[in-house]
Amino acid sequence: MREQSEDTPTPSDGAPEGYVDIPFVVEPNYAGWRFDRYLSEKLRRLTRERLHGIIQRGVLCEGRRLKPSTPVYPGLSFRIRRPVSAEPETPTTLPTIFQDDWLLVLDKPAGLPIHPTARYHKGTLVTLLRERFGEAFAEPAHRLDRETSGLVVCGRTTEACRVLGRLFVSRDVHKEYLAVCEGHPPEDLFHVDAPIAEGTELIRIAVRVDAVEGKESRTRFEVLERFTRGGEPFALLRCYPETGRQHQIRIHLREAGFPLVGDKMYGPDPGYFDRFSKRCLEPEAWERLRLPRHALHAARISFPHPGTGTVVSFDSQLPEDLQDFIAGRTVT
């Protein structure tokens, strides 16, 4: 029997007072990844130094320590212990669009993170799924930003998750978004072809357009409606991402000169994100943002069913807050 060192995490029935254990279960599409790379994907806001510190302090995993180079596998479960902090409130509704033995398709509300992060550990889509249906009921096959509303596809079996992961990587998943942007694009149809690179070490979750280091990224846009609100121009767009880069639609709209309404990171003034990240967004900045969240909605998704191979499609209507904005009504 292997002797357990004093600094090796041990299984427990719960965290001590003042601490919380954040649970993680590795999804099939991350099979074989290094543990530090997997954790970096899940906790994108943290710097490499902070992630390294978390791993060095020990990760709770069945009485053994996970090293940065440890390969992860589907179903591997571990917990990260952290001090309890005030967690922002998040939505608790989780409307179901479709369910069978292979799939669960949800209509995620804006403001709900998909996975636990450094800031959110209880109020997440994954946590709600496990609380309501059990540990192994379903796992999200892709991600949406916390503020983005709309369709999230989950796999209900290991094989379904594997197939869905391959479909997303091979671009066999067709996605359409609805977005409200600033300004009136002159053309009814336009596209942006601008390579996207990952963010800096200082702001890891942001991306940038970079012709040298960026990866090919293309988005087509269709103007559905031009309207004014308070005498200022806006437009409702349907967006067709031809590649699947992080924050692709958001940064491509800024590149086109028609930033997403409510976007703190890629909005009309890039300085807003710096102030927001320090939690001191000025009142005039909120007014300029127009909405408390960015106006992006995952409205349609189509892909071959992982069990039958038949193409299935799912739709989600534009949520009420964005409808109210377009209609000129007060948005709460």
Side-chain angles (χ1 to χ4, degrees):
M1 181 175 179
R2 183 176 63 89
E3 183 178 354
Q4 193 174 52
S5 63
E6 291 181 358
D7 60 354
T8 301
T10 57
S12 67
D13 294 329
E17 185 176 356
Y19 288 83
V20 63
D21 288 342
I22 306 174
F24 293 82
V25 179
V26 176
E27 304 86 347
N29 51 308
Y30 295 105
W33 282 34
R34 285 172 54 107
F35 177 63
D36 55 358
R37 182 187 174 202
Y38 175 81
L39 204 58
S40 176
E41 178 75 8
K42 294 301 176 181
L43 302 177
R44 293 188 175 188
R45 287 183 179 270
L46 297 188
T47 63
R48 290 178 182 174
E49 288 75 14
R50 290 187 65 188
L51 286 169
H52 181 73
I54 288 173
I55 298 172
Q56 286 294 102
R57 287 191 295 273
V59 176
L60 306 174
C61 181
E62 300 175 351
R64 67 188 180 95
R65 179 185 292 276
L66 294 180
K67 299 178 180 179
S69 60
T70 300
V72 301
Y73 55 86
L76 174 68
S77 62
F78 62 89
R79 292 170 290 141
I80 293 176
R81 181 162 292 171
R82 53 163 289 175
V84 173
S85 58
E87 183 174 350
E89 290 189 10
T90 57
T92 57
T93 57
L94 209 57
T96 298
I97 299 293
F98 175 82
Q99 179 181 332
D100 66 8
D101 292 339
W102 291 75
L103 297 173
L104 176 67
V105 182
L106 302 170
D107 197 355
K108 185 184 87 67
L112 180 66
I114 289 185
H115 296 283
T117 67
R119 191 179 181 194
Y120 298 91
H121 44 88
K122 291 185 179 179
T124 70
L125 183 145
V126 167
T127 304
L128 290 177
L129 273 178
R130 291 171 184 164
E131 286 177 351
R132 296 181 186 183
F133 304 108
E135 281 289 326
F137 186 79
E139 289 289 341
H142 60 116
R143 66 169 66 237
L144 290 181
D145 294 332
R146 180 178 61 84
E147 293 189 7
T148 302
S149 54
L151 297 168
V152 175
V153 177
C154 304
R156 294 202 54 207
T157 67
T158 299
E159 180 61 20
C161 290
R162 285 199 186 101
V163 173
L164 289 169
R166 289 198 298 267
L167 291 174
F168 277 95
V169 170
S170 62
R171 301 181 187 177
D172 287 317
V173 178
H174 173 77
K175 294 179 284 187
E176 298 178 17
Y177 291 76
L178 293 173
V180 181
C181 73
E182 306 242 358
H184 283 170
E187 304 292 334
D188 290 341
L189 299 173
F190 64 101
H191 76 279
V192 176
D193 190 340
I196 295 175
E198 294 182 357
T200 64
E201 183 66 24
L202 180 62
I203 307 177
R204 296 183 63 250
I205 60 172
V207 300
R208 67 187 190 279
V209 170
D210 191 316
V212 177
E213 298 183 7
K215 298 178 181 178
E216 64 165 344
S217 309
R218 296 182 303 278
T219 313
R220 293 183 292 115
F221 298 96
E222 177 185 4
V223 178
L224 302 180
E225 179 182 352
R226 296 179 179 87
F227 63 97
T228 58
R229 181 185 169 100
E232 297 186 70
F234 301 94
L236 173 65
L237 310 175
R238 185 170 288 273
C239 316
Y240 306 89
E242 296 180 3
T243 52
R245 310 300 176 203
Q246 180 184 352
H247 299 174
Q248 177 174 315
I249 292 172
R250 297 166 61 187
I251 197 168
H252 275 181
L253 280 175
R254 187 180 75 178
E255 188 74 5
F258 307 103
L260 198 66
V261 169
D263 197 330
K264 306 169 190 68
M265 197 178 302
Y266 309 105
D269 178 356
Y272 285 162
F273 176 65
D274 293 336
R275 297 198 290 271
F276 174 76
S277 66
K278 297 172 184 174
R279 301 182 184 179
C280 57
L281 192 64
E282 295 89 339
E284 65 269 21
W286 280 114
E287 293 177 8
R288 185 75 176 96
L289 285 167
R290 328 282 189 187
L291 283 172
R293 63 103 161 192
H294 60 238
L296 186 63
H297 179 71
R300 183 176 178 83
I301 191 165
S302 303
F303 54 91
H305 189 284
T308 66
T310 302
V311 174
V312 291
S313 299
F314 305 100
D315 295 274
S316 170
Q317 293 186 343
L318 196 68
E320 187 174 342
D321 62 336
L322 301 189
Q323 293 186 40
D324 287 343
F325 184 86
I326 294 170
R329 297 187 290 265
T330 300
V331 180
T332 57

